[in-house]
Amino acid sequence: QVQLQESGGGLVQAGGSLRLSCAASGRAFSTYTMGWFRQAPGKEREFVASINWIGSSTYYPDSVKGRFTISRDNAKNTVYLQMNSLKPEDTAVYYCAATPTMYAVLVNVPYEYWGPGTQVTVSS
């Protein structure tokens, strides 16, 4: 079983930036498809970003495209989410997700493992 731990959340003003990190357990991290999701109070969990096993392919919804960047460092078993130009509507708990399947297509990936989340609050 894979364990994930997010960090880097906090309070930031609109227009600011944050960098989230997700540390993963396991020795096969380099084969995992990784993703980020978020959930605001009263709303469903929303897909934010995904990255393939080697980091050569990424996928974003229109809501964050151009502002957020997902990346990974397989040597450190860590995936990152750089968030720029933050908006109040980005306020949510952000979750890291993983699956030990090497997906070629990053749309609708059925992630199996989830971190406990980290709070991001954007003020205005």
Side-chain angles (χ1 to χ4, degrees):
Q1 184 171 330
V2 176
Q3 289 189 320
L4 306 173
Q5 180 63 63
E6 304 93 340
S7 62
L11 176 64
V12 65
Q13 291 187 339
S17 298
L18 283 174
R19 189 193 192 200
L20 306 183
S21 298
C22 173
S25 67
R27 296 159 62 185
F29 176 79
S30 62
T31 71
Y32 295 172
T33 300
M34 303 293 296
W36 286 95
F37 289 74
R38 66 188 182 186
Q39 188 169 21
K43 296 184 179 180
E44 296 293 320
R45 186 169 294 186
E46 176 189 19
F47 168 75
V48 173
S50 59
I51 189 166
N52 72 344
W53 64 280
I54 199 171
S56 61
S57 181
T58 59
Y59 181 70
Y60 308 90
D62 289 341
S63 59
V64 307
K65 188 177 296 183
R67 299 188 300 121
F68 291 11
T69 303
I70 187 172
S71 61
R72 67 192 299 160
D73 186 340
N74 287 345
K76 297 181 178 179
N77 281 14
T78 302
V79 64
Y80 305 95
L81 184 68
Q82 178 67 46
M83 304 184 294
N84 299 326
S85 301
L86 284 163
K87 306 173 181 179
E89 51 263 45
D90 295 319
T91 296
V93 176
Y94 282 71
Y95 298 92
C96 179
T99 179
T101 300
M102 297 164 53
Y103 286 94
V105 178
L106 298 178
V107 180
N108 297 322
V109 171
Y111 295 97
E112 301 176 36
Y113 306 105
W114 299 82
T118 185
Q119 177 70 49
V120 172
T121 303
V122 184
S123 64
S124 64

